[in-house]
Amino acid sequence: MKIYGALLVPLTFPLVAASDDTWSSFQNGGNLNPKIVGVDFSAEGCFERNHQWSTRLMGYGQSSPVYDGKLLYVTSVKGKSKENCIIQAKRIEDGTDIWHYQLKNSSPETNSNYVSRAAPTPVCDQRGVIAFFEGGNLVALNRDGKVRWELDLVKKFGPIQARHGLASSLEQDGVNVYVWVERQQSPYLLAINKETGEIGWKTDGLGVTSWSSPRRVPVGKSHHLVLSGIGKIAGYDPKSGKQLWLFDKISGNSTPTPVPIGNGRFLIGASSGRGESTTGKAAQSNGLVQIRSKDGKYQAEFVWQAKQATSSFGSPLAHGGQAYFVNRSGVLFCLDLKTGEEVYTARIKSSVWATPLGIGNQVLLFGKDATTTVVDAGQSFKKLAVHTIWKKDQATESEGSAAPSFGGPVLYSGILAGKSLIFRRGDQMACVRCK
């Protein structure tokens, strides 16, 4: 591990929320308990009636938009070799651009369905936005679109070669942004000062296949930075980069990101057939993990493991005392969050590529086919509605469309931004007001 400069000071000012109740919005994850709990998404046609705007993006991307309480930020790439990296800041009222910023990709690669395309989700706070692109470009912009600092990680640390490209989103606290580059050779994890762009520390990555993202998990009065990749989960000290613990009793955990639920616990999801041979135990790799301190050392262990539930690209959801997993075939598993016992299993319209969202007594499942299935958050399965944001005549995508391989536009994210739901597919965003 290399240390760059002095260690950074703790949080000294509050973060602006990325939604009403959480600043870490690239994964909806645990209970948000949003203030709009009275909203009913079950009414037929409610998305259509409250659909405020749709906007075509300047490029194509797989990242989630983020919201700082005022502005929406979204990233994309453009060109035959993803030559241009784009950040757009939009008004939430109508989806129009306030500003946009473009930079040249430091590692151009042929734009296709088989490599990531603006997959890392940015982070934002009251300063502005910090965006990361799979070519190695990292840039911090103020709210007015002016560059605060910029880093070329390829120029600094060498080429980035990763199977299907990088997809790891950024994580942050009040001082640092955390960047995980799980490349094939010499993977690394960085802590970078959000104000200055100075590197606080650099440490080794996991050395495995991964497209998940780092998450800060509360442990006692501090946090651990948790990374998950096939066959390994590890916790790091955000202040020093020191690895605090390693857990390897798991497989298939290449894509879902750990979902913090408090008190050193997090949900973990895993699938099968993603580059490793122990696929028969996929369900046992989905469950609730607890971080404990014993004899001055930290360790992680399963509180419970699922019997049947597995995941796809979307991370699990914790909501209303229950845990939700959706597998690659579109089967929804609802488990008791405390015990892991199965509450129910049901098939929904399609699998999910975005993490579900729990709002009040409803759970929103963002299908990869650009539909949103609304289910009751109770003890039995009740499908309340299936909504479509984009009509069939709006199905064309640009910049290496996903349609030929995946059967149409893919819904990559759905987030709560204030009192609006924001949806993102490769080439477009849309807004539904929560009335």
Side-chain angles (χ1 to χ4, degrees), residues 110-146:
T110 302
N111 195 345
S112 77
N113 295 323
Y114 304 102
V115 296
S116 56
R117 293 172 286 175
T121 291
V123 292
C124 63
D125 60 14
Q126 76 272 28
R127 299 178 183 92
V129 63
I130 302 175
F132 178 49
F133 294 89
E134 61 270 23
N137 300 90
L138 183 69
V139 61
L141 303 173
N142 293 331
R143 269 182 163 174
D144 59 5
K146 294 181 180 178

PDB file of all heavy atoms in Angstrom, residues 110-146:
ATOM      1  N   THR A 110     -13.505   0.201 -28.568  1.00  0.00           N
ATOM      2  CA  THR A 110     -14.649   0.045 -29.465  1.00  0.00           C
ATOM      3  C   THR A 110     -15.958  -0.023 -28.689  1.00  0.00           C
ATOM      4  O   THR A 110     -16.105  -0.813 -27.754  1.00  0.00           O
ATOM      5  CB  THR A 110     -14.485  -1.213 -30.335  1.00  0.00           C
ATOM      6  OG1 THR A 110     -13.273  -1.130 -31.080  1.00  0.00           O
ATOM      7  CG2 THR A 110     -15.662  -1.340 -31.304  1.00  0.00           C
ATOM      8  N   ASN A 111     -16.891   0.809 -29.085  1.00  0.00           N
ATOM      9  CA  ASN A 111     -18.191   0.903 -28.425  1.00  0.00           C
ATOM     10  C   ASN A 111     -19.061  -0.279 -28.856  1.00  0.00           C
ATOM     11  O   ASN A 111     -19.393  -0.421 -30.015  1.00  0.00           O
ATOM     12  CB  ASN A 111     -18.856   2.224 -28.832  1.00  0.00           C
ATOM     13  CG  ASN A 111     -20.020   2.582 -27.950  1.00  0.00           C
ATOM     14  OD1 ASN A 111     -20.530   1.760 -27.200  1.00  0.00           O
ATOM     15  ND2 ASN A 111     -20.461   3.829 -28.053  1.00  0.00           N
ATOM     16  N   SER A 112     -19.413  -1.153 -27.909  1.00  0.00           N
ATOM     17  CA  SER A 112     -20.219  -2.324 -28.240  1.00  0.00           C
ATOM     18  C   SER A 112     -21.041  -2.743 -27.032  1.00  0.00           C
ATOM     19  O   SER A 112     -20.908  -2.196 -25.934  1.00  0.00           O
ATOM     20  CB  SER A 112     -19.328  -3.488 -28.685  1.00  0.00           C
ATOM     21  OG  SER A 112     -18.708  -4.097 -27.563  1.00  0.00           O
ATOM     22  N   ASN A 113     -21.906  -3.741 -27.255  1.00  0.00           N
ATOM     23  CA  ASN A 113     -22.730  -4.271 -26.172  1.00  0.00           C
ATOM     24  C   ASN A 113     -21.919  -5.048 -25.138  1.00  0.00           C
ATOM     25  O   ASN A 113     -22.440  -5.377 -24.072  1.00  0.00           O
ATOM     26  CB  ASN A 113     -23.799  -5.225 -26.742  1.00  0.00           C
ATOM     27  CG  ASN A 113     -24.779  -4.512 -27.636  1.00  0.00           C
ATOM     28  OD1 ASN A 113     -25.160  -3.384 -27.378  1.00  0.00           O
ATOM     29  ND2 ASN A 113     -25.191  -5.172 -28.710  1.00  0.00           N
ATOM     30  N   TYR A 114     -20.666  -5.352 -25.428  1.00  0.00           N
ATOM     31  CA  TYR A 114     -19.897  -6.283 -24.602  1.00  0.00           C
ATOM     32  C   TYR A 114     -18.892  -5.594 -23.682  1.00  0.00           C
ATOM     33  O   TYR A 114     -18.145  -6.268 -22.971  1.00  0.00           O
ATOM     34  CB  TYR A 114     -19.202  -7.307 -25.493  1.00  0.00           C
ATOM     35  CG  TYR A 114     -20.189  -8.032 -26.366  1.00  0.00           C
ATOM     36  CD1 TYR A 114     -20.343  -7.712 -27.708  1.00  0.00           C
ATOM     37  CD2 TYR A 114     -21.030  -9.013 -25.826  1.00  0.00           C
ATOM     38  CE1 TYR A 114     -21.280  -8.364 -28.497  1.00  0.00           C
ATOM     39  CE2 TYR A 114     -21.964  -9.661 -26.612  1.00  0.00           C
ATOM     40  CZ  TYR A 114     -22.087  -9.332 -27.950  1.00  0.00           C
ATOM     41  OH  TYR A 114     -23.021  -9.971 -28.723  1.00  0.00           O
ATOM     42  N   VAL A 115     -18.858  -4.267 -23.701  1.00  0.00           N
ATOM     43  CA  VAL A 115     -18.002  -3.527 -22.775  1.00  0.00           C
ATOM     44  C   VAL A 115     -18.841  -2.461 -22.090  1.00  0.00           C
ATOM     45  O   VAL A 115     -19.876  -2.026 -22.609  1.00  0.00           O
ATOM     46  CB  VAL A 115     -16.804  -2.858 -23.496  1.00  0.00           C
ATOM     47  CG1 VAL A 115     -15.891  -3.911 -24.104  1.00  0.00           C
ATOM     48  CG2 VAL A 115     -17.275  -1.878 -24.558  1.00  0.00           C
ATOM     49  N   SER A 116     -18.404  -2.049 -20.907  1.00  0.00           N
ATOM     50  CA  SER A 116     -19.145  -1.027 -20.157  1.00  0.00           C
ATOM     51  C   SER A 116     -19.145   0.289 -20.919  1.00  0.00           C
ATOM     52  O   SER A 116     -18.179   0.644 -21.592  1.00  0.00           O
ATOM     53  CB  SER A 116     -18.514  -0.834 -18.777  1.00  0.00           C
ATOM     54  OG  SER A 116     -17.146  -0.497 -18.890  1.00  0.00           O
ATOM     55  N   ARG A 117     -20.256   1.014 -20.785  1.00  0.00           N
ATOM     56  CA  ARG A 117     -20.402   2.313 -21.454  1.00  0.00           C
ATOM     57  C   ARG A 117     -20.908   3.322 -20.435  1.00  0.00           C
ATOM     58  O   ARG A 117     -22.083   3.356 -20.111  1.00  0.00           O
ATOM     59  CB  ARG A 117     -21.363   2.187 -22.640  1.00  0.00           C
ATOM     60  CG  ARG A 117     -20.813   1.326 -23.771  1.00  0.00           C
ATOM     61  CD  ARG A 117     -21.844   1.055 -24.831  1.00  0.00           C
ATOM     62  NE  ARG A 117     -22.822   0.083 -24.365  1.00  0.00           N
ATOM     63  CZ  ARG A 117     -23.909  -0.272 -25.064  1.00  0.00           C
ATOM     64  NH1 ARG A 117     -24.147   0.301 -26.220  1.00  0.00           N
ATOM     65  NH2 ARG A 117     -24.732  -1.177 -24.595  1.00  0.00           N
ATOM     66  N   ALA A 118     -19.994   4.131 -19.919  1.00  0.00           N
ATOM     67  CA  ALA A 118     -20.317   5.079 -18.849  1.00  0.00           C
ATOM     68  C   ALA A 118     -21.081   4.359 -17.742  1.00  0.00           C
ATOM     69  O   ALA A 118     -22.116   4.818 -17.271  1.00  0.00           O
ATOM     70  CB  ALA A 118     -21.120   6.255 -19.388  1.00  0.00           C
ATOM     71  N   ALA A 119     -20.537   3.212 -17.307  1.00  0.00           N
ATOM     72  CA  ALA A 119     -21.211   2.419 -16.279  1.00  0.00           C
ATOM     73  C   ALA A 119     -21.026   2.949 -14.853  1.00  0.00           C
ATOM     74  O   ALA A 119     -21.953   2.869 -14.052  1.00  0.00           O
ATOM     75  CB  ALA A 119     -20.753   0.966 -16.357  1.00  0.00           C
ATOM     76  N   PRO A 120     -19.849   3.494 -14.489  1.00  0.00           N
ATOM     77  CA  PRO A 120     -19.707   3.989 -13.112  1.00  0.00           C
ATOM     78  C   PRO A 120     -20.630   5.176 -12.842  1.00  0.00           C
ATOM     79  O   PRO A 120     -20.681   6.131 -13.618  1.00  0.00           O
ATOM     80  CB  PRO A 120     -18.236   4.418 -13.045  1.00  0.00           C
ATOM     81  CG  PRO A 120     -17.552   3.635 -14.120  1.00  0.00           C
ATOM     82  CD  PRO A 120     -18.564   3.545 -15.218  1.00  0.00           C
ATOM     83  N   THR A 121     -21.364   5.113 -11.747  1.00  0.00           N
ATOM     84  CA  THR A 121     -22.241   6.207 -11.348  1.00  0.00           C
ATOM     85  C   THR A 121     -21.438   7.247 -10.583  1.00  0.00           C
ATOM     86  O   THR A 121     -20.610   6.902  -9.734  1.00  0.00           O
ATOM     87  CB  THR A 121     -23.391   5.670 -10.489  1.00  0.00           C
ATOM     88  OG1 THR A 121     -24.240   4.884 -11.326  1.00  0.00           O
ATOM     89  CG2 THR A 121     -24.205   6.780  -9.859  1.00  0.00           C
ATOM     90  N   PRO A 122     -21.665   8.546 -10.841  1.00  0.00           N
ATOM     91  CA  PRO A 122     -20.937   9.595 -10.125  1.00  0.00           C
ATOM     92  C   PRO A 122     -21.456   9.774  -8.704  1.00  0.00           C
ATOM     93  O   PRO A 122     -22.401   9.097  -8.277  1.00  0.00           O
ATOM     94  CB  PRO A 122     -21.216  10.846 -10.972  1.00  0.00           C
ATOM     95  CG  PRO A 122     -22.519  10.567 -11.656  1.00  0.00           C
ATOM     96  CD  PRO A 122     -22.563   9.077 -11.881  1.00  0.00           C
ATOM     97  N   VAL A 123     -20.838  10.684  -7.957  1.00  0.00           N
ATOM     98  CA  VAL A 123     -21.341  11.112  -6.655  1.00  0.00           C
ATOM     99  C   VAL A 123     -21.486  12.625  -6.689  1.00  0.00           C
ATOM    100  O   VAL A 123     -20.836  13.314  -7.482  1.00  0.00           O
ATOM    101  CB  VAL A 123     -20.409  10.702  -5.492  1.00  0.00           C
ATOM    102  CG1 VAL A 123     -20.399   9.196  -5.311  1.00  0.00           C
ATOM    103  CG2 VAL A 123     -18.993  11.238  -5.688  1.00  0.00           C
ATOM    104  N   CYS A 124     -22.353  13.149  -5.823  1.00  0.00           N
ATOM    105  CA  CYS A 124     -22.539  14.594  -5.759  1.00  0.00           C
ATOM    106  C   CYS A 124     -22.740  15.026  -4.316  1.00  0.00           C
ATOM    107  O   CYS A 124     -23.131  14.234  -3.454  1.00  0.00           O
ATOM    108  CB  CYS A 124     -23.708  15.042  -6.630  1.00  0.00           C
ATOM    109  SG  CYS A 124     -25.322  14.380  -6.130  1.00  0.00           S
ATOM    110  N   ASP A 125     -22.449  16.296  -4.053  1.00  0.00           N
ATOM    111  CA  ASP A 125     -22.722  16.912  -2.766  1.00  0.00           C
ATOM    112  C   ASP A 125     -22.901  18.409  -3.022  1.00  0.00           C
ATOM    113  O   ASP A 125     -23.117  18.823  -4.166  1.00  0.00           O
ATOM    114  CB  ASP A 125     -21.624  16.610  -1.738  1.00  0.00           C
ATOM    115  CG  ASP A 125     -20.241  17.110  -2.152  1.00  0.00           C
ATOM    116  OD1 ASP A 125     -20.152  17.916  -3.105  1.00  0.00           O
ATOM    117  OD2 ASP A 125     -19.251  16.705  -1.534  1.00  0.00           O
ATOM    118  N   GLN A 126     -22.803  19.235  -1.982  1.00  0.00           N
ATOM    119  CA  GLN A 126     -23.070  20.658  -2.168  1.00  0.00           C
ATOM    120  C   GLN A 126     -22.001  21.350  -2.988  1.00  0.00           C
ATOM    121  O   GLN A 126     -22.219  22.453  -3.492  1.00  0.00           O
ATOM    122  CB  GLN A 126     -23.247  21.358  -0.817  1.00  0.00           C
ATOM    123  CG  GLN A 126     -21.957  21.610  -0.043  1.00  0.00           C
ATOM    124  CD  GLN A 126     -21.586  20.436   0.834  1.00  0.00           C
ATOM    125  OE1 GLN A 126     -21.918  19.287   0.546  1.00  0.00           O
ATOM    126  NE2 GLN A 126     -20.890  20.731   1.919  1.00  0.00           N
ATOM    127  N   ARG A 127     -20.825  20.716  -3.174  1.00  0.00           N
ATOM    128  CA  ARG A 127     -19.791  21.305  -4.018  1.00  0.00           C
ATOM    129  C   ARG A 127     -20.126  21.172  -5.496  1.00  0.00           C
ATOM    130  O   ARG A 127     -19.793  22.016  -6.308  1.00  0.00           O
ATOM    131  CB  ARG A 127     -18.448  20.621  -3.768  1.00  0.00           C
ATOM    132  CG  ARG A 127     -17.885  20.698  -2.362  1.00  0.00           C
ATOM    133  CD  ARG A 127     -16.570  19.917  -2.333  1.00  0.00           C
ATOM    134  NE  ARG A 127     -15.958  19.850  -1.019  1.00  0.00           N
ATOM    135  CZ  ARG A 127     -16.150  18.880  -0.146  1.00  0.00           C
ATOM    136  NH1 ARG A 127     -16.971  17.887  -0.456  1.00  0.00           N
ATOM    137  NH2 ARG A 127     -15.549  18.879   1.016  1.00  0.00           N
ATOM    138  N   GLY A 128     -20.720  20.015  -5.859  1.00  0.00           N
ATOM    139  CA  GLY A 128     -20.971  19.727  -7.257  1.00  0.00           C
ATOM    140  C   GLY A 128     -20.953  18.232  -7.488  1.00  0.00           C
ATOM    141  O   GLY A 128     -21.456  17.457  -6.677  1.00  0.00           O
ATOM    142  N   VAL A 129     -20.334  17.778  -8.580  1.00  0.00           N
ATOM    143  CA  VAL A 129     -20.360  16.372  -8.962  1.00  0.00           C
ATOM    144  C   VAL A 129     -18.948  15.875  -9.245  1.00  0.00           C
ATOM    145  O   VAL A 129     -18.088  16.637  -9.706  1.00  0.00           O
ATOM    146  CB  VAL A 129     -21.266  16.171 -10.215  1.00  0.00           C
ATOM    147  CG1 VAL A 129     -20.716  16.919 -11.423  1.00  0.00           C
ATOM    148  CG2 VAL A 129     -21.443  14.690 -10.536  1.00  0.00           C
ATOM    149  N   ILE A 130     -18.694  14.595  -8.926  1.00  0.00           N
ATOM    150  CA  ILE A 130     -17.443  13.938  -9.295  1.00  0.00           C
ATOM    151  C   ILE A 130     -17.810  12.728 -10.132  1.00  0.00           C
ATOM    152  O   ILE A 130     -18.603  11.883  -9.706  1.00  0.00           O
ATOM    153  CB  ILE A 130     -16.637  13.504  -8.062  1.00  0.00           C
ATOM    154  CG1 ILE A 130     -16.336  14.712  -7.173  1.00  0.00           C
ATOM    155  CG2 ILE A 130     -15.327  12.834  -8.493  1.00  0.00           C
ATOM    156  CD1 ILE A 130     -15.637  14.364  -5.874  1.00  0.00           C
ATOM    157  N   ALA A 131     -17.257  12.645 -11.335  1.00  0.00           N
ATOM    158  CA  ALA A 131     -17.606  11.581 -12.276  1.00  0.00           C
ATOM    159  C   ALA A 131     -16.373  10.768 -12.644  1.00  0.00           C
ATOM    160  O   ALA A 131     -15.259  11.298 -12.756  1.00  0.00           O
ATOM    161  CB  ALA A 131     -18.237  12.172 -13.537  1.00  0.00           C
ATOM    162  N   PHE A 132     -16.600   9.473 -12.831  1.00  0.00           N
ATOM    163  CA  PHE A 132     -15.541   8.541 -13.195  1.00  0.00           C
ATOM    164  C   PHE A 132     -15.984   7.766 -14.425  1.00  0.00           C
ATOM    165  O   PHE A 132     -17.134   7.329 -14.515  1.00  0.00           O
ATOM    166  CB  PHE A 132     -15.268   7.591 -12.027  1.00  0.00           C
ATOM    167  CG  PHE A 132     -14.229   6.539 -12.288  1.00  0.00           C
ATOM    168  CD1 PHE A 132     -12.997   6.868 -12.823  1.00  0.00           C
ATOM    169  CD2 PHE A 132     -14.478   5.203 -11.969  1.00  0.00           C
ATOM    170  CE1 PHE A 132     -12.030   5.899 -13.047  1.00  0.00           C
ATOM    171  CE2 PHE A 132     -13.518   4.228 -12.184  1.00  0.00           C
ATOM    172  CZ  PHE A 132     -12.286   4.579 -12.728  1.00  0.00           C
ATOM    173  N   PHE A 133     -15.068   7.610 -15.390  1.00  0.00           N
ATOM    174  CA  PHE A 133     -15.361   6.864 -16.608  1.00  0.00           C
ATOM    175  C   PHE A 133     -14.412   5.679 -16.706  1.00  0.00           C
ATOM    176  O   PHE A 133     -13.268   5.742 -16.237  1.00  0.00           O
ATOM    177  CB  PHE A 133     -15.225   7.768 -17.826  1.00  0.00           C
ATOM    178  CG  PHE A 133     -16.255   8.865 -17.874  1.00  0.00           C
ATOM    179  CD1 PHE A 133     -15.998  10.083 -17.259  1.00  0.00           C
ATOM    180  CD2 PHE A 133     -17.480   8.675 -18.493  1.00  0.00           C
ATOM    181  CE1 PHE A 133     -16.944  11.099 -17.291  1.00  0.00           C
ATOM    182  CE2 PHE A 133     -18.428   9.678 -18.526  1.00  0.00           C
ATOM    183  CZ  PHE A 133     -18.159  10.896 -17.919  1.00  0.00           C
ATOM    184  N   GLU A 134     -14.888   4.600 -17.347  1.00  0.00           N
ATOM    185  CA  GLU A 134     -14.130   3.353 -17.381  1.00  0.00           C
ATOM    186  C   GLU A 134     -12.809   3.472 -18.114  1.00  0.00           C
ATOM    187  O   GLU A 134     -11.935   2.607 -17.981  1.00  0.00           O
ATOM    188  CB  GLU A 134     -14.973   2.235 -17.998  1.00  0.00           C
ATOM    189  CG  GLU A 134     -15.411   2.468 -19.433  1.00  0.00           C
ATOM    190  CD  GLU A 134     -16.745   3.182 -19.542  1.00  0.00           C
ATOM    191  OE1 GLU A 134     -17.138   3.867 -18.581  1.00  0.00           O
ATOM    192  OE2 GLU A 134     -17.394   3.068 -20.598  1.00  0.00           O
ATOM    193  N   GLY A 135     -12.616   4.550 -18.890  1.00  0.00           N
ATOM    194  CA  GLY A 135     -11.333   4.776 -19.549  1.00  0.00           C
ATOM    195  C   GLY A 135     -10.261   5.313 -18.629  1.00  0.00           C
ATOM    196  O   GLY A 135      -9.107   5.466 -19.036  1.00  0.00           O
ATOM    197  N   GLY A 136     -10.629   5.626 -17.373  1.00  0.00           N
ATOM    198  CA  GLY A 136      -9.653   6.108 -16.408  1.00  0.00           C
ATOM    199  C   GLY A 136      -9.752   7.583 -16.091  1.00  0.00           C
ATOM    200  O   GLY A 136      -8.971   8.099 -15.282  1.00  0.00           O
ATOM    201  N   ASN A 137     -10.707   8.292 -16.695  1.00  0.00           N
ATOM    202  CA  ASN A 137     -10.866   9.720 -16.446  1.00  0.00           C
ATOM    203  C   ASN A 137     -11.707   9.970 -15.199  1.00  0.00           C
ATOM    204  O   ASN A 137     -12.783   9.399 -15.048  1.00  0.00           O
ATOM    205  CB  ASN A 137     -11.538  10.404 -17.645  1.00  0.00           C
ATOM    206  CG  ASN A 137     -10.734  10.258 -18.911  1.00  0.00           C
ATOM    207  OD1 ASN A 137     -10.919   9.294 -19.656  1.00  0.00           O
ATOM    208  ND2 ASN A 137      -9.836  11.187 -19.162  1.00  0.00           N
ATOM    209  N   LEU A 138     -11.205  10.831 -14.325  1.00  0.00           N
ATOM    210  CA  LEU A 138     -11.890  11.212 -13.100  1.00  0.00           C
ATOM    211  C   LEU A 138     -11.893  12.731 -13.031  1.00  0.00           C
ATOM    212  O   LEU A 138     -10.830  13.358 -13.129  1.00  0.00           O
ATOM    213  CB  LEU A 138     -11.172  10.613 -11.890  1.00  0.00           C
ATOM    214  CG  LEU A 138     -11.773  10.834 -10.511  1.00  0.00           C
ATOM    215  CD1 LEU A 138     -13.091  10.069 -10.360  1.00  0.00           C
ATOM    216  CD2 LEU A 138     -10.792  10.391  -9.421  1.00  0.00           C
ATOM    217  N   VAL A 139     -13.076  13.349 -12.873  1.00  0.00           N
ATOM    218  CA  VAL A 139     -13.158  14.810 -12.893  1.00  0.00           C
ATOM    219  C   VAL A 139     -14.152  15.299 -11.858  1.00  0.00           C
ATOM    220  O   VAL A 139     -15.205  14.682 -11.652  1.00  0.00           O
ATOM    221  CB  VAL A 139     -13.529  15.327 -14.307  1.00  0.00           C
ATOM    222  CG1 VAL A 139     -14.886  14.795 -14.754  1.00  0.00           C
ATOM    223  CG2 VAL A 139     -13.505  16.857 -14.368  1.00  0.00           C
ATOM    224  N   ALA A 140     -13.792  16.387 -11.176  1.00  0.00           N
ATOM    225  CA  ALA A 140     -14.677  17.038 -10.209  1.00  0.00           C
ATOM    226  C   ALA A 140     -15.106  18.381 -10.777  1.00  0.00           C
ATOM    227  O   ALA A 140     -14.259  19.194 -11.167  1.00  0.00           O
ATOM    228  CB  ALA A 140     -13.960  17.221  -8.877  1.00  0.00           C
ATOM    229  N   LEU A 141     -16.409  18.603 -10.834  1.00  0.00           N
ATOM    230  CA  LEU A 141     -16.963  19.842 -11.355  1.00  0.00           C
ATOM    231  C   LEU A 141     -17.783  20.542 -10.276  1.00  0.00           C
ATOM    232  O   LEU A 141     -18.500  19.891  -9.508  1.00  0.00           O
ATOM    233  CB  LEU A 141     -17.869  19.568 -12.560  1.00  0.00           C
ATOM    234  CG  LEU A 141     -17.243  18.813 -13.740  1.00  0.00           C
ATOM    235  CD1 LEU A 141     -18.313  18.464 -14.769  1.00  0.00           C
ATOM    236  CD2 LEU A 141     -16.147  19.638 -14.388  1.00  0.00           C
ATOM    237  N   ASN A 142     -17.679  21.862 -10.215  1.00  0.00           N
ATOM    238  CA  ASN A 142     -18.534  22.631  -9.331  1.00  0.00           C
ATOM    239  C   ASN A 142     -19.961  22.652  -9.862  1.00  0.00           C
ATOM    240  O   ASN A 142     -20.231  22.226 -10.993  1.00  0.00           O
ATOM    241  CB  ASN A 142     -18.010  24.062  -9.198  1.00  0.00           C
ATOM    242  CG  ASN A 142     -16.676  24.122  -8.475  1.00  0.00           C
ATOM    243  OD1 ASN A 142     -16.390  23.269  -7.637  1.00  0.00           O
ATOM    244  ND2 ASN A 142     -15.871  25.113  -8.799  1.00  0.00           N
ATOM    245  N   ARG A 143     -20.883  23.164  -9.062  1.00  0.00           N
ATOM    246  CA  ARG A 143     -22.287  23.187  -9.471  1.00  0.00           C
ATOM    247  C   ARG A 143     -22.519  24.010 -10.738  1.00  0.00           C
ATOM    248  O   ARG A 143     -23.509  23.804 -11.436  1.00  0.00           O
ATOM    249  CB  ARG A 143     -23.160  23.738  -8.348  1.00  0.00           C
ATOM    250  CG  ARG A 143     -23.699  22.657  -7.421  1.00  0.00           C
ATOM    251  CD  ARG A 143     -24.589  23.244  -6.383  1.00  0.00           C
ATOM    252  NE  ARG A 143     -25.419  22.240  -5.744  1.00  0.00           N
ATOM    253  CZ  ARG A 143     -26.214  22.480  -4.714  1.00  0.00           C
ATOM    254  NH1 ARG A 143     -26.275  23.696  -4.202  1.00  0.00           N
ATOM    255  NH2 ARG A 143     -26.948  21.519  -4.190  1.00  0.00           N
ATOM    256  N   ASP A 144     -21.612  24.937 -11.032  1.00  0.00           N
ATOM    257  CA  ASP A 144     -21.751  25.750 -12.242  1.00  0.00           C
ATOM    258  C   ASP A 144     -21.062  25.123 -13.449  1.00  0.00           C
ATOM    259  O   ASP A 144     -21.011  25.722 -14.527  1.00  0.00           O
ATOM    260  CB  ASP A 144     -21.226  27.164 -12.013  1.00  0.00           C
ATOM    261  CG  ASP A 144     -19.748  27.193 -11.598  1.00  0.00           C
ATOM    262  OD1 ASP A 144     -19.103  26.117 -11.589  1.00  0.00           O
ATOM    263  OD2 ASP A 144     -19.241  28.280 -11.277  1.00  0.00           O
ATOM    264  N   GLY A 145     -20.525  23.903 -13.273  1.00  0.00           N
ATOM    265  CA  GLY A 145     -19.912  23.199 -14.395  1.00  0.00           C
ATOM    266  C   GLY A 145     -18.440  23.474 -14.587  1.00  0.00           C
ATOM    267  O   GLY A 145     -17.827  22.952 -15.529  1.00  0.00           O
ATOM    268  N   LYS A 146     -17.813  24.278 -13.702  1.00  0.00           N
ATOM    269  CA  LYS A 146     -16.386  24.566 -13.820  1.00  0.00           C
ATOM    270  C   LYS A 146     -15.561  23.460 -13.159  1.00  0.00           C
ATOM    271  O   LYS A 146     -15.942  22.925 -12.121  1.00  0.00           O
ATOM    272  CB  LYS A 146     -16.069  25.920 -13.187  1.00  0.00           C
ATOM    273  CG  LYS A 146     -16.718  27.083 -13.935  1.00  0.00           C
ATOM    274  CD  LYS A 146     -16.370  28.417 -13.295  1.00  0.00           C
ATOM    275  CE  LYS A 146     -17.023  29.562 -14.066  1.00  0.00           C
ATOM    276  NZ  LYS A 146     -16.746  30.882 -13.434  1.00  0.00           N
TER     277      LYS A 146
END
